[in-house]
Amino acid sequence: MPAPGGGHDFGLVDADVAKAIGCAEGPICLQQGYPTEKGFGKLHIESHAQRVKQISGLGHATVEAFVYEVAQHYTIVQDGGGGRLLLVYQKGGYDLGIAVGSIKRLGRDYWNVVTALPYRQSKRPVLYVKLRSDGSEPASDVAVRPRFATLSLPEKP
């Protein structure tokens, strides 16, 4: 699948992440995949209507746009189970996640998107947190944005 930014790479599991958790570095790709329950890729994600509705409700016009945003901006790497990684981007009080699995193609390592979904809060074991250039951890989006709006009632006439 082509990435919204052009090319086929949606993002990257970079050398820092790979070294820290002992995995292969490589580009993140989204394949067409299969829509079955044990499927993967774009068709698998789109086969879950409620998930597509959530993704759309969070401002992403397409599955590709959601995957691209997470792959470009993830700051947390969690254990996705079964040898997979869950890449998490915290935004708008949600943990936006893409589960990726390592594949080797033409002698090169790739990370293939298995599924994607927004969590209220992902509770998977954390393997790595990306640090800012000054060495500090990124602030949680929940801490930056209030989760609940202030409600004001009209005055009595």
Side-chain angles (χ1 to χ4, degrees):
M1 300 288 324
H8 293 285
D9 299 347
F10 280 68
L12 179 69
V13 173
D14 62 35
D16 291 339
V17 172
K19 183 178 177 184
I21 64 175
C23 71
E25 66 178 285
I28 299 166
C29 302
L30 176 65
Q31 294 181 326
Q32 191 77 7
Y34 297 100
T36 63
E37 193 60 36
K38 295 190 183 222
F40 68 93
K42 180 180 190 264
L43 294 178
H44 170 73
I45 299 163
E46 290 179 342
S47 71
H48 294 84
Q50 185 60 32
R51 188 174 305 171
V52 172
K53 185 177 176 181
Q54 285 179 299
I55 288 171
S56 176
L58 291 169
H60 301 88
T62 63
V63 166
E64 293 93 326
F66 180 86
V67 169
Y68 186 75
E69 182 176 36
V70 176
Q72 290 292 310
H73 302 289
Y74 72 93
T75 55
I76 300 169
V77 179
Q78 296 179 319
D79 182 355
R84 297 180 184 145
L85 301 177
L86 181 64
L87 308 179
V88 177
Y89 172 47
Q90 295 179 318
K91 181 180 176 187
Y94 284 88
D95 286 351
L96 308 182
I98 57 173
V100 296
S102 180
I103 59 171
K104 198 172 216 59
R105 196 172 16 186
L106 302 173
R108 187 170 174 206
D109 290 307
Y110 290 87
W111 289 92
N112 185 43
V113 176
V114 177
T115 194
L117 57 156
Y119 296 90
R120 238 340 175 171
Q121 181 181 15
S122 178
K123 296 183 183 310
R124 297 271 190 174
V126 174
L127 302 174
Y128 182 78
V129 176
K130 286 187 176 190
L131 300 179
R132 295 181 180 157
S133 58
D134 66 0
S136 66
E137 289 185 16
S140 166
D141 194 41
V142 175
V144 174
R145 271 185 159 169
R147 282 187 105 156
F148 302 102
T150 303
L151 182 65
S152 60
L153 299 173
E155 292 183 23
K156 284 186 173 182

